[in-house]
Amino acid sequence: MIGFVVPVAPMVWADEEEVVGEETPKKPLAFIDIGNSKEGSYPGGSTPVEGKWWVDANASILKIETEPLVEGWFEFGPEIREKGATIQAAGMAPGEGKIRSRMGVGLFGPNGFQLRLVFARNEIELVRRGRVLGVVSFDLEPKESYRMELSILEDEGNWMITGRVWADETDRPLSFIISYKAFKAELLFPLAGRAVLIATPFSGEPVGFLEASVFDGEIVMKDDEDDSESGAPAAIE
């Protein structure tokens, strides 16, 4: 796969000394610092693996260009190896007509899992190594921005993969929308790699990400305590 060399902003890691409030998510391991990135660069601590990615500083958004048309792949943060993690991001995939783009997030690099929004079919997919593991229907509007959350957590020696999707500036849903249980013996490759943003701008307009963060374990909000009896995985600290 081919990367593109553009100016890079300084690397940004989370401040481990910050105190987390009772009703806020835990501190991220890393995040893409779009706000402090220069026009045409990409955030420090990140790697554009496939596709041409750049920061639109005026709009404070990380974009992937429409040409060359590829399945864009953008990695950030530290390598995470054989332990639970969560990625959360906000993005948009604009476009008019029947040809629409797709976008998503992933964990553990190319041998991990991805949560993908498919606007052309109004579907949310769980994917691993190009294979679709699960699909659910979900109304997607190209004019809207969405938040995506993918968690991969240990579950009695195996892995529980869950995904949430919701419209930006609305409340995070208590329950996940899609899930899949992966048995370690069937994975063939260990779960090890970085957090990933994915995008394919089929519509002819750039797909953009407003923010993205990766966390150790599960993001836990105070209200999630009420979710423990509804089938969602318990919090892992």
Side-chain angles (χ1 to χ4, degrees):
M1 291 184 286
I2 300 175
F4 292 80
V5 178
V6 294
V8 183
M11 182 177 294
V12 175
W13 301 100
D15 182 359
E16 296 180 355
E17 296 182 357
E18 181 173 325
V19 177
V20 179
E22 185 179 53
E23 298 192 25
T24 60
K26 66 172 66 174
K27 189 70 180 177
L29 292 173
F31 60 95
I32 55 171
D33 189 13
I34 297 173
N36 289 318
S37 301
K38 295 181 179 179
E39 178 75 18
S41 69
Y42 55 85
S46 62
T47 306
V49 177
E50 188 74 22
K52 186 176 181 180
W53 297 78
W54 62 284
V55 168
D56 181 342
N58 291 328
S60 294
I61 188 168
L62 174 67
K63 294 182 177 181
I64 180 172
E65 282 292 355
T66 58
E67 295 182 0
L69 180 57
V70 296
E71 184 163 3
W73 189 274
F74 187 92
E75 297 186 352
F76 72 97
E79 180 183 83
I80 302 171
R81 181 174 291 273
E82 290 289 313
K83 65 177 183 178
T86 298
I87 181 174
Q88 193 179 85
M92 59 181 66
E96 299 180 359
K98 295 182 179 180
I99 300 177
R100 297 184 177 182
S101 301
R102 62 190 186 193
M103 66 177 180
V105 295
L107 287 168
F108 302 112
N111 288 321
F113 295 83
Q114 297 87 49
L115 178 70
R116 189 163 67 188
L117 282 61
V118 184
F119 285 76
R121 298 196 300 268
N122 287 311
E123 291 178 348
I124 308 297
E125 299 176 336
L126 276 178
V127 181
R128 183 173 190 256
R129 295 177 60 82
R131 178 188 171 199
V132 177
L133 304 173
V135 179
V136 295
S137 297
F138 191 92
D139 289 335
L140 295 167
E141 291 292 337
K143 296 181 180 179
E144 301 292 333
S145 59
Y146 291 91
R147 291 190 173 270
M148 301 154 277
E149 181 181 305
L150 175 67
S151 291
I152 302 179
L153 307 171
E154 290 193 79
D155 180 35
E156 297 181 351
N158 299 302
W159 297 104
M160 177 60 72
I161 299 95
T162 60
R164 289 177 169 88
V165 177
W166 66 101
D168 199 11
E169 299 184 358
T170 64
D171 292 338
R172 173 180 178 267
L174 291 178
S175 299
F176 48 76
I177 190 174
I178 191 169
S179 65
Y180 180 83
K181 187 172 183 178
F183 296 92
K184 287 188 177 182
E186 298 175 353
L187 292 181
L188 300 180
F189 300 96
L191 291 184
R194 303 172 74 191
V196 178
L197 303 179
I198 57 174
T200 310
F202 289 122
S203 71
E205 296 186 40
V207 175
F209 289 87
L210 305 168
E211 59 183 73
S213 301
V214 61
F215 299 81
D216 181 25
E218 185 178 14
I219 298 176
V220 182
M221 303 291 283
K222 182 179 179 181
D223 290 341
D224 283 352
E225 296 172 1
D226 299 330
D227 198 35
S228 59
E229 298 179 359
S230 64
I236 295 180
E237 296 290 339

